[in-house]
Amino acid sequence: MFYVLAITGVLIALLGVAIPVILTLSRINDNQIDFGYNQIPCVEVNSSLKLFKGEVAGGESMAYIGEGKIISGMEDGRIMELDVKKNTAQTLFKIEESRPLGVRLINETLLGVADAKLGFYLYDLKTKKLEFLIKAGDLVEDVPVLFLDDFVYSLKRNMVYISQVSDRFGYDEQMPLMMRGGRHGRILTYDFSTREVNALPIKFAFPNGLELSKDESSLFINEFQRFTTHKYELSSKKLSTFSIYSGYPDNIRSDGNDGYWIGIDAVNKPHVYYLEKFAILRLILSFLLDCKIVSEDFVIASYGSFVHVDHNGKIDRCFYSPDGTKFNQATEVLEQNGMLYIGSFLQDADYIAQLKIHDLY
């Protein structure tokens, strides 16, 4: 009984100290956020074209299929074909109770989809056939598949690499996942030759965006909760830090040459850097969020931001929309034919932003 009372007393004392500190930090002005990266100025985007306005919602990821057409997955489970030349949208199909996130082509006719609620599946654009390769709840190395986010296909290995955000929290539990921290996400592999599913031998804190190096020798992994892109050498299995950001990196996509575009989902408010260092503060903040004492706006600032990194991981370009009106909470940047297309997972993001690369310089 004594120990119970003692522990209760300690918890109350911690709450008494931590809550005022957290609430005081919450009053820090958003303007103190630093968008700069190693003296690289972040350029404000002054104009954007909002395509498919009102016809899409939460198009996080995009796959270019040629002839000015893009495929993207929506918040309500629709997979849509978007014609950027005609600014028209049509639904290819919809799966109820699903949330398609990573969307990419495996080949000219085969579309891959990483679904946060259902698993990983293929859709043949010609035959309209849909096939699940990995289902939510499947055991991979005795750990259940849960909350898949993004994937990339390796032609040389005939294999897909798939990010699993967590093996403890689902798509609808993202804020508890963020606040409790911990590295319990992983990268799954699916071998098309053997149909075997395995996992890389490293854990990550909210791994999401994936991309391969141009020669496919390395896998780039965005670790959302550590504000970092890692470089994983597939042969040597060596992991190194590729780049670090002042916000949460979502998807990473090649620019078609030797560089990469990184969508910055949200920009940290200054105090978040301090809270990230202390597990007890994260737990208390999670409690405050659950009880609606503070809102999610306390944690993140809803800006639009994305960066470009070179083949060495150096950030050489940064762009942002400070009020989120030109684009907001960019989850992916897709470069095609002199244009950038900006996706966002937000349910009220009812458009895909189009930017002319020439206008950004």
Side-chain angles (χ1 to χ4, degrees), residues 48 50 264-266 301-305 321-332 342-346 348-349 351 353:
S48 68
K50 295 182 178 180
I264 303 299
D265 183 294
S302 295
Y303 292 98
S305 180
S321 174
D323 55 5
T325 57
K326 304 302 183 293
F327 62 92
N328 194 15
Q329 291 192 235
T331 49
E332 184 173 300
I342 316 297
S344 175
F345 80 101
L346 293 175
D348 59 0
Y351 62 89

Side-chain angles (χ1 to χ4, degrees), residues 175-306:
M175 191 52 67
L177 164 63
M178 291 287 292
M179 289 302 99
R180 285 167 175 77
R183 285 188 162 98
H184 37 80
R186 57 182 178 166
I187 307 301
L188 305 179
T189 63
Y190 180 90
D191 190 321
F192 282 95
S193 301
T194 65
R195 300 185 71 88
E196 291 183 353
V197 185
N198 293 293
L200 299 186
I202 303 175
K203 293 288 189 177
F204 298 93
F206 207 125
N208 51 11
L210 301 176
E211 185 59 288
L212 288 165
S213 59
K214 197 170 185 178
D215 63 1
E216 297 192 7
S217 65
S218 299
L219 176 68
F220 296 106
I221 304 166
N222 278 355
E223 190 173 24
F224 190 78
Q225 202 168 354
R226 296 294 185 267
F227 326 118
T228 300
T229 298
H230 298 286
K231 182 178 182 180
Y232 181 78
E233 297 176 17
L234 295 170
S235 295
S236 66
K237 299 182 180 180
K238 177 184 176 182
L239 185 74
S240 59
T241 298
F242 185 64
S243 196
I244 300 176
Y245 314 98
S246 64
Y248 295 98
D250 206 297
N251 285 346
I252 173 173
R253 293 294 184 263
S254 169
D255 63 4
N257 295 300
D258 291 324
Y260 305 90
W261 292 107
I262 314 290
I264 303 299
D265 183 294
V267 179
N268 280 324
K269 292 190 175 181
H271 52 275
V272 173
Y273 291 108
Y274 300 101
L275 295 178
E276 282 290 337
K277 297 178 181 179
F278 302 101
I280 186 63
L281 288 181
R282 291 200 307 272
L283 287 171
I284 293 172
L285 179 56
S286 179
F287 168 77
L288 296 177
L289 286 165
D290 290 342
C291 295
K292 310 297 182 182
I293 297 173
V294 298
S295 69
E296 293 182 13
D297 292 338
F298 167 72
V299 182
I300 59 175
S302 295
Y303 292 98
S305 180
F306 63 91

